[in-house]
Structures are given as structure tokens and as C-alpha cells.
Amino acid sequence: MAIRIAIPKEVSPGERRVAATPDTVKKLIKMGFDVSVETSAGTLANYPDEVFKAAGASIAPDTDSLWESADVLCKINPPQLRSDGSHEADSLRDGSTLISLIFPGQNAELVERLQQGSKTAIALDKIPRITRAQKMDVLSSMANIAGYRAVLEAAHLYGGFFSGQITAAGKTRPAQVLVIGAGVAGLAAIGTARSLGAEVRAFDVRPATKEQVESMGARFLMLDVPMDESGESSGGYANIMSDEFLQAELACFAEQARDVDIIITTALIPGRPAPELILQEMVESMKPGSVIVDLAAEQGGNCTATVPGEVVTSSGVHIVGYTDLTSRLPTHASQFFGTNIVNLLSDMGGAEDFTVNFEDEVLLKSTIVRDGELTWPPPPDPEKPATATPAKPVVAEAPAPRKKSGTGHGASSEPLAVGPRNMIALTLAIVLALIGFTAESAPVPHFVQQVTVFLLACFIGWQVVWSVTPALHTPLMSVTNAISGIIVVGGLLGVAGSELNTAAVLGAVAILIASINIAGGFLVTQRMLQMFRKEGN
């Protein structure tokens, strides 16, 4: 009998998302699952029952029948009280598995309810932030949407243009936007604000984010404080910083508040109250009509004037404290959330080999209850053994290593290894030696000199291209291929004259190949430039 996955309608007030879409339902069915969706579960996300039926899902007419038939129940929000007073966690039958956000650190009562019977619960909010688990990380996918929506909310309330305008009636400067926190949500906000034409500056306690911020066209704010402490935790989140650093941080924000039009705050450490970064006096110093969007409102807010779930006005400044920003883009939010669940179920073996395997780090750290037994918090990661400082080697006991010839980049004291480059160099040496022995019978004057220059040119050109970082190959080569015009000039000199010989044939071939290279280089460059041009320009 196939494992049945149930998708209930969310009961949280104002929630528009659903844990599956027609696209993810098709993928689940292809993996061997039966899928049942509660009637009208996806209506608010623009997924009516008809599209779920067309994708192969069955429609459960009521909540009770859906929960009773579920082997695996996938939902978005943690189980909670329904309007009739019953609790969703109590409806989960023994032996079934719950996959949803749980936030066990803030929901101790819910965790106790999940331990009743032989239930299993997997918290999507506890998926570890490791490379392999990125495809299942719902916090990141939802934060991306929240950052995008935060800019749209700010644009709606802001009484001016985001991009600078020059008209017959005058000109306006671009909106000045400050983004505090350069995580997933912050980077999404930066990208959206930049695409609307705003000038963006950003701050983060993690210096490693500086390159990411600047690569998106924003200015990274640096503090005049020595960074003796790491701003990043092992899980990829920001650390709590020292008092000295926090004072310098607040002074920076106070200065920026007087200049910017919009502030978007995203600073939040999971399981802790949001740090207060925008104080009331900073709000009062902002220009009337400015906007603050507080993405940490659900945990108290980064702004002291934030009211969770509401938009308030203080000293003429609009402060947005919405806690449902992802739900305000329900169609794509549901698609992302559903895809994260599909990826998790795929790693759990699909319908054929479905299991909660604690040898998998992702499941070990995200499973809260397994068969009624509490498994959270997971065991700590084994500490890495302290690496002792190696003693200085005694010269008399160490064999003297052979050195590679040359003093250029890459010279080493290791013995010469027979690698691809060394083999090529050896082959070139042998070829040149053979040419030298047969120079007297060469049909072309100065043949040895010409061949030597040709081989050296090939070798040096190959070394130059080899040393370029692979990530730069496409943009670099699309432009520098135009330099192949030099080859065309050389080819023209080779075919000059009426005599048909080997040099003339090689020159013609060089002209043909270089011309193709030039045309292709300009074509690739043109396509790359098109990617950065706005529609209508």
C-alpha cells in the first residue's frame, strides 16, 4: 500500500500559503506517494481544487478524514488550536510523520503533545545550514521572499520615486535605502531596491558579506572598530557582539537614519529576541514620510517603535511590522515551500524506502520526536581535536628536497612531479631538438627560428589562459577573443603574394578560424550585455 501524504488547509489567521502545489504534487506522485489535499487548501494561493485534481491528487472533503488517512502530513505552520478548540497535534494518528515548521525552542507545549503515542515530527526550521541541505532550507527560501516583499511594502508607503527622475518639471534624487543585515532576506532586499533604481547601503556584522553586498551594487558600511571577534556563528547566522561593537553600531545607524529614506532591518538570531537597533531617537531624526520595514517584528522587532502585525506612524515615519510578508506572495511562496519538502522526502528515500535515518545529519538535527521519543536537541557535534603547533623540524634529520627550476609563480621546494605541464615542456624540448638536428635540410630559410617563436607563442598563450579563474572564462574570453584580429593580420601577411605554398595555406586557415573566433566573441559579449539591460531601454 502506497504511503499517503496529506496536505491540510492552514488554520493560522491570515495564512494564504499551502504546503504543496500542482507541480510538487506531480513530483510526489512520481516518487510513488499518494497525495491527498484538503478541499480549498490552496484557494488563497491561487491553486483551486481543480488544478490539484488535474495533477493527480485526491481532494479530502473535510479536515478529520484528511488527518486520519495521513501517513505523512506536510504543512507550513506548527500545529495549533483550531477554531473549535481542538488541537491539530492531537489529530495526528500514531505511526504517522509530521513535516512542518515547529520551532521547538518556543513551543514546549507542542513538543509535549507530539510525544503522545508513536508519532514522528520533523522540524523544517531545524534543517542544518550545510551545503547539501540548501535545497531543503525553507527558512532561506522564505527569507528570500520576505526581503523582496519588504521593498515592495516600503515602495507602497514611500511618497517618492525609487529611481532618480529627470523631467521638464525638475529632477529627483534616487531613494536612499539602508539594509541592516546581509543574510538571505537582506540580499534579496538589496537586489530588489537596486532593481527599482534606489541607492543602497548595507551593514552586517559578518565581514564576509562585504563582497556579496558590493557585487550587487550596494555600499557596505564599515565601523571604525577593530574586528577581533567573529561576527558569524557556525550555523551561518550572526553572533552577539561585544558592547563596544554595539555602541559603534548604534552610532552608525543614528548617523545613517538622518540621511536615508528607507530602512529595512533583518537582524535576527534564531531562538533569541530581536536586537534593538533602531531606537526612538533615530526614528525621530528621520525625514517625515520615511519608511522602516522591520523583518524581525515577529520576535519583537529591531525597531523600538515596531508593533508586530501592524503599520504604525511615529514622528511622521511609517513603521511596518508585518509578520506575514511571505504569505503576501502566496503563489511563489507555496511553490518554494513545496519544493523544499519534495527535496527532503526524496532524501528520505521516497515512497519505496521512506525512513527517518539518523545516520543522515539532516534528519538527525531536524527530527524533534521519533516514534514518540524526544530526540531534540540533537547531540552536539564532536569537537575537533586541538591542533598542536608542529615543532620546528631539525635540519639534520630532514632530507634536502630538490627544487624546481625557476623563480616564478608556483615555484616550490617539492620534488619535480611529472604532471601535464612538465610533459608538455619535455615534448617541446624534444621537438625543438629534432628540428635543430634537421635544420640544414629545412626548405624554408630561418625555419628553426620561426618554429621556435611559434611554439613559444603557443606555450605562453596556453599558460595565460590556464591561469585564469574558470569563473571568469566566459566574460573574459568573450571580450579578449576580439584580439584574435592580430591573428588575422598575421594571416594576411602570410598569404601576401601570388605564390601558393604552405605558409599561404596556413595563413588562410588562420584567417578563417580567427574570424569565427572574433564573430563569436562579439556575439557572446552582446548576449551578456542584453542580460543587464532593462526592458524598454
Side-chain angles (χ1 to χ4, degrees):
M1 183 177 178
I3 296 176
R4 179 175 292 277
I5 292 179
I7 310 295
K9 183 177 181 180
E10 299 294 325
V11 299
S12 181
E15 181 61 77
R16 303 174 182 85
R17 294 171 296 173
V18 62
T21 67
D23 180 57
T24 63
V25 164
K26 292 178 182 178
K27 294 178 181 178
L28 292 172
I29 293 175
K30 189 174 181 180
M31 290 164 58
F33 294 105
D34 285 341
V35 182
S36 180
V37 180
E38 185 177 350
T39 184
S40 73
T43 301
L44 296 179
N46 302 313
Y47 297 117
D49 292 347
E50 291 74 17
V51 296
F52 281 114
K53 286 182 180 178
S58 60
I59 305 299
D62 57 79
T63 302
D64 292 338
S65 62
L66 179 86
W67 285 72
E68 290 172 0
S69 65
D71 298 307
V72 179
L73 192 132
C74 301
K75 67 189 307 292
I76 292 177
N77 297 297
Q80 54 195 280
L81 286 172
R82 301 189 181 99
S83 58
D84 61 2
S86 62
H87 200 286
E88 289 184 310
D90 297 335
S91 300
L92 196 66
R93 68 178 180 81
D94 287 348
S96 61
T97 299
L98 169 69
I99 299 177
S100 75
L101 297 171
I102 294 179
F103 304 109
Q106 293 81 35
N107 293 313
E109 182 184 353
L110 172 59
V111 174
E112 290 181 4
R113 286 180 179 271
L114 292 172
Q115 293 178 64
Q116 299 174 9
S118 57
K119 305 166 186 174
T120 298
I122 298 174
L124 294 172
D125 50 284
K126 291 300 177 182
I127 296 287
R129 286 199 159 182
I130 58 177
T131 301
R132 185 176 67 83
Q134 287 181 350
K135 61 184 179 180
M136 319 167 201
D137 189 355
V138 299
L139 295 184
S140 292
S141 61
M142 295 300 103
N144 179 55
I145 294 174
Y148 174 86
R149 182 69 190 198
V151 177
L152 299 187
E153 296 291 343
H156 174 67
L157 292 171
Y158 179 55
F161 291 112
F162 258 58
S163 60
Q165 299 288 321
I166 300 177
T167 69
K171 65 179 182 179
T172 63
R173 69 164 190 166
Q176 305 296 304
V177 178
L178 169 63
V179 178
I180 299 177
V184 176
L187 292 175
I190 291 170
T192 307
R194 286 288 300 150
S195 67
L196 292 175
E199 292 183 355
V200 184
R201 60 199 76 174
F203 174 82
D204 198 289
V205 299
R206 298 163 291 185
T209 62
K210 181 176 184 291
E211 292 184 3
Q212 296 173 305
V213 168
E214 293 178 343
S215 70
M216 301 183 72
R219 179 163 63 92
F220 190 81
L221 302 177
M222 298 291 293
L223 299 181
D224 294 330
V225 177
M227 286 294 294
D228 296 331
E229 51 189 325
S230 173
E232 184 170 2
S233 67
S234 59
Y237 295 99
N239 270 332
I240 297 177
M241 309 300 285
S242 65
D243 291 340
E244 180 186 4
F245 187 92
L246 292 175
Q247 291 301 320
E249 188 179 51
L250 292 176
C252 173
F253 296 156
E255 179 183 353
Q256 293 295 321
R258 291 190 291 269
D259 183 51
V260 299
D261 305 302
I262 295 167
I263 299 178
I264 297 174
T265 67
T266 70
L268 187 64
I269 300 175
R272 298 178 181 270
E276 293 183 350
L277 304 177
I278 306 298
L279 308 181
Q280 182 61 37
E281 53 265 31
M282 299 181 195
V283 176
E284 294 172 355
S285 71
M286 296 181 71
K287 297 183 289 291
S290 299
V291 182
I292 298 174
V293 183
D294 195 340
L295 289 174
E298 193 168 5
Q299 298 298 323
N302 296 137
C303 177
T304 56
T306 297
V307 177
E310 298 182 17
V311 177
V312 297
T313 302
S314 177
S315 302
V317 178
H318 305 290
I319 303 167
V320 181
Y322 291 144
T323 58
D324 62 344
L325 287 173
T326 53
S327 186
R328 290 169 180 262
L329 290 173
T331 303
H332 285 136
S334 299
Q335 178 64 42
F336 287 2
F337 202 103
T339 300
N340 292 144
I341 290 177
V342 167
N343 292 332
L344 174 62
L345 291 170
S346 176
D347 271 27
M348 293 176 70
E352 184 175 350
D353 300 313
F354 181 81
T355 182
V356 182
N357 181 11
F358 274 12
E359 293 182 3
D360 185 337
E361 180 184 2
V362 174
L363 293 173
L364 173 64
K365 293 187 175 181
S366 61
T367 302
I368 308 302
V369 176
R370 183 170 69 168
D371 297 330
E373 179 183 353
L374 182 66
T375 59
W376 184 86
D381 293 331
E383 294 185 2
K384 294 182 179 180
T387 303
T389 304
K392 188 175 181 179
V394 181
V395 178
E397 297 178 359
R402 292 166 51 192
K403 292 187 178 181
K404 293 173 71 174
S405 60
T407 58
H409 177 70
S412 172
S413 59
E414 296 295 326
L416 181 63
V418 183
R421 297 190 183 188
N422 295 328
M423 289 298 297
I424 292 175
L426 180 61
T427 303
L428 285 175
I430 295 173
V431 170
L432 289 174
L434 292 175
I435 292 175
F437 288 131
T438 59
E440 294 182 358
S441 60
V444 180
H446 310 296
F447 179 71
V448 174
Q449 180 182 357
Q450 294 176 4
V451 170
T452 302
V453 172
F454 171 75
L455 292 177
L456 288 175
C458 292
F459 182 73
I460 292 172
W462 174 73
Q463 287 284 352
V464 169
V465 175
W466 183 277
S467 301
V468 175
T469 302
L472 297 178
H473 279 176
T474 299
L476 180 67
M477 296 308 145
S478 65
V479 176
T480 57
N481 279 347
I483 302 176
S484 298
I486 298 174
I487 299 176
V488 174
V489 175
L492 291 174
L493 294 176
V495 299
S498 58
E499 184 179 356
L500 180 63
N501 52 31
T502 304
V505 173
L506 292 176
V509 173
I511 293 173
L512 175 62
I513 295 176
S515 299
I516 296 173
N517 208 21
I518 292 171
F522 279 115
L523 180 61
V524 172
T525 302
Q526 183 67 18
R527 290 184 177 179
M528 292 183 66
L529 292 175
Q530 285 292 124
M531 295 170 58
F532 296 96
R533 290 176 181 167
K534 296 182 179 179
E535 294 184 4
N537 286 357

